[in-house]
Amino acid sequence: MTVRRIGSGGPWEDFVGYSRVVVAGDQAWVSGCTATVDGAVVHPGDVAAQARVAFGVLVDALASAGFSPADVVRTRMYVTDTSRWEEVGRVHGEVFGAVRPATAMIGVASLLHPDMLVEVEADAVRPA
């Protein structure tokens, strides 16, 4: 089986040693996506806006590998303030409400940058 590693061109991929998406056969795994645009965290303090950007990055990453949101079977959401879980959950529903993947929302003490409020990941499987 061939494994494809697809980068986004982000500045940390080479430094840390990861790919935005890894594809093996009919499966894809998307690395953590945040609301970082051109190296800067956008929408500081607005967890819903950050979630929209992060899920947009995730959907674009899936598309770069030939997958769609309908192929997603599992998501994970890391949030720095669990009292705001509904805002992130609402955005997840906007993207995946009809798909209904298995999911987890995990409260974390912090993310890589102090302005980051949410990070998202996904696993996808293409139908046979």
Side-chain angles (χ1 to χ4, degrees):
M1 173 184 325
T2 302
V3 175
R4 289 189 304 143
R5 290 163 172 65
I6 302 168
S8 67
W12 303 286
E13 290 173 2
D14 287 337
F15 179 77
V16 176
Y18 74 96
S19 298
R20 172 61 55 205
V21 185
V22 175
V23 179
D26 63 353
Q27 298 182 58
W29 298 267
V30 180
S31 293
C33 301
T34 63
T36 303
V37 177
D38 297 327
V41 178
V42 296
H43 307 295
D46 188 338
V47 70
Q50 284 195 10
R52 281 189 187 86
V53 172
F55 280 116
V57 170
L58 188 147
V59 168
D60 289 348
L62 285 167
S64 76
F67 289 78
S68 76
D71 299 318
V72 171
V73 296
R74 178 160 177 72
T75 59
R76 282 165 298 285
M77 297 164 276
Y78 303 95
V79 297
T80 59
D81 182 352
T82 56
S83 74
R84 299 180 70 186
W85 73 269
E86 290 179 75
E87 296 171 73
V88 177
R90 189 171 296 113
V91 176
H92 184 274
E94 291 169 7
V95 179
F96 295 110
V99 179
R100 300 179 64 95
T103 194
M105 188 178 301
I106 302 120
V108 296
S110 66
L111 293 168
L112 191 58
H113 187 283
D115 289 338
M116 290 178 180
L117 304 175
V118 62
E119 184 166 344
V120 298
E121 302 174 340
D123 307 334
V125 178
R126 258 192 298 250

